[in-house]
Amino acid sequence: MKILLTGGAGYIGTHTAVALVEAGHDPVIVDDLSNSSEEAVRRVRELTGRQVPFHELDLRQQDALTAILREEGIEAVIHLAGLKAVGESVAQPLRYYGTNLESTLSLLEAMRASGVERIVFSSTATVYGAHATPPFRESDQAGVDVSHPYGKTKFMIEQILADAAAADPALQATVLRYFNPIGAHPSGRIGEDPAQIPNNLAPFVLQVAVGKLPLVRVFGNDYDTPDGTGLRDYLHVMDLAEGHVAALDRLEPGSRVYNLGSGTATSVLELIESFRRASGQPIPYEVVARRPGDDPATFADASLAAQELGWSAKRSIDEACADSWRWQSQNPRGYAS
Ligand code: UD1
């Protein structure tokens, strides 16, 4: 199938492009390059041996987007594009609501104008909110106490898709709620390339391992967890990428929601230790205060995706750390290397 991949030059997008080609699909990348680079697209082409088409475009340019959908003969869309920094979304809520919602509405209008009826959307486990008890199930109430505008935009888009599918019996929409993606393609050619000092644990630890940052700050070791540090459901980005392919292959009229997680919980200290083994580098850390808003533990009940999509995460944390290290050590300055 010919697939429009919005945000296709980003971390998850590049890996999804590779997984799509491996599964026999033809991705067409659209990205405004606001948080990515054309070098990432070049590396996707190098890895796949395909001249994957790329359009530099803001999705709000609806006429241009409609023309791309028509001219490329797009049959389905995987919608990853959006602003995604939690702290920034608190400081700049209007920019987050504006960008994430307007670009999605523009995309849905462009799809309608060009007769494209299939969409897979990238959401987040954050939508389960602060009250939720892990493991999170798709049937759990979501959207109630989501603590930041970024997460709220994701939940609003989930609702827009459900309403659009209820109104249009031909629309096929699947929402994927990601847990914590880590790792990189095993080639070391594509990976996560944060523009600033990373907020998330895995890219931060990698920059300590490569010597760019002095030490990891562990946000609290007094949680009610086995070693006192936060538990998260980390999954390899190639597993996540393959989850999109599985969702695409099983689209049906209506809207559906699936967790994409490994279903296992790993602590901050366990993840640091796994990166230490993978890199062979010392990873100094110090325990500091809890980060406001952090949950003690979040992890998926991953059984629905296994039953209905035939998908489950296969790669280990150690494999993800080894693949990340290959990317980071071979590209210490990311795509600028
Ligand atoms: C965060 C966001 C979430 C977003 C996700 C994207 C918050 C509250 N949540 O999730 O909305 O969808 O990123 O990947 O920001 N940690 C440290 N030191 C660090 C960084 C993190 O100890 O320097 C700990 C955290 O306390 C947490 C774990 O590592 O226990 C994972 O943190 P992180 O990678 O930021 O992901 P989430 O908080 O799960």
Side-chain angles (χ1 to χ4, degrees):
M1 253 192 295
K2 204 89 184 271
I3 315 296
L4 189 84
L5 191 55
T6 78
Y11 172 43
I12 296 168
T14 46
H15 293 82
T16 301
V18 171
L20 283 168
V21 172
E22 279 170 2
H25 295 296
D26 297 312
V28 173
I29 294 176
V30 168
D31 201 299
D32 68 357
L33 301 182
S34 60
N35 190 29
S36 53
S37 72
E38 207 164 346
E39 174 61 14
V41 178
R42 206 191 63 70
R43 301 265 184 113
V44 167
R45 289 175 176 157
E46 170 200 301
L47 276 178
T48 58
R50 295 272 192 89
Q51 200 54 29
V52 174
F54 168 58
H55 301 271
E56 184 177 344
L57 187 80
D58 184 318
L59 295 181
R60 288 170 289 194
Q61 293 173 252
Q62 198 176 306
D63 291 344
L65 182 60
T66 306
I68 291 169
L69 288 166
R70 289 197 177 125
E71 283 159 21
E72 295 278 10
I74 297 297
E75 298 167 83
V77 173
I78 297 180
H79 180 34
L80 312 179
L83 299 175
K84 64 179 178 77
V86 172
E88 191 179 68
S89 80
V90 176
Q92 303 173 18
L94 301 185
R95 181 169 161 240
Y96 269 69
Y97 287 112
T99 306
N100 290 0
L101 297 177
E102 285 167 16
S103 59
T104 302
L105 291 171
S106 173
L107 172 64
L108 291 170
E109 291 288 5
M111 286 171 62
R112 189 160 58 173
S114 49
V116 178
E117 285 158 345
R118 287 180 269 207
I119 181 166
V120 173
F121 171 63
S122 115
S123 188
T124 166
T126 297
V127 302
Y128 286 108
H131 72 281
T133 316
F136 300 158
R137 291 181 187 83
E138 294 83 347
S139 55
D140 292 348
Q141 189 178 31
V144 182
D145 45 8
V146 180
S147 52
H148 43 77
Y150 157 71
K152 288 179 190 172
T153 66
K154 290 291 184 184
F155 188 66
M156 287 175 185
I157 295 168
E158 290 194 5
Q159 291 174 300
I160 290 168
L161 288 171
D163 289 344
D168 175 1
L171 191 65
Q172 308 180 17
T174 287
V175 165
L176 302 176
R177 291 181 178 157
Y178 306 164
F179 283 71
N180 294 55
I182 62 168
H185 190 269
S187 64
R189 297 298 290 158
I190 55 174
E192 189 169 14
D193 185 18
Q196 286 123 16
I197 293 179
N199 293 313
N200 296 120
L201 181 63
F204 198 101
V205 172
L206 277 167
Q207 296 205 358
V208 172
V210 84
K212 273 169 80 174
L213 293 169
L215 85 175
V216 181
R217 289 175 308 143
V218 173
F219 296 144
N221 66 353
D222 56 352
Y223 287 107
D224 184 15
T225 60
D227 67 15
T229 66
L231 296 175
R232 293 291 181 274
D233 182 333
Y234 300 97
L235 80 159
H236 196 297
V237 65
M238 283 309 299
D239 279 326
L240 183 65
E242 289 165 7
H244 291 74
V245 179
L248 188 73
D249 289 345
R250 288 167 185 77
L251 278 167
E252 290 171 26
S255 68
R256 271 164 201 80
V257 177
Y258 296 101
N259 288 338
L260 292 187
S262 68
T264 56
T266 301
S267 77
V268 174
L269 295 182
E270 285 170 334
L271 193 70
I272 292 175
E273 174 57 20
S274 186
F275 273 117
R276 191 195 61 73
R277 281 197 303 270
S279 66
Q281 303 297 312
I283 302 184
Y285 67 86
E286 67 172 346
V287 177
V288 299
R290 294 180 179 190
R291 181 171 64 179
D294 271 355
D295 291 321
T298 65
F299 52 93
D301 179 329
S303 54
L304 192 66
Q307 281 160 28
E308 295 190 2
L309 302 179
W311 173 89
S312 54
K314 294 186 175 57
R315 296 159 177 93
S316 68
I317 299 276
D318 282 345
E319 201 174 338
C321 291
D323 290 338
S324 291
W325 176 244
R326 196 171 302 111
W327 154 253
Q328 183 73 53
S329 55
Q330 291 175 6
N331 305 270
R333 293 172 53 241
Y335 290 115
S337 298

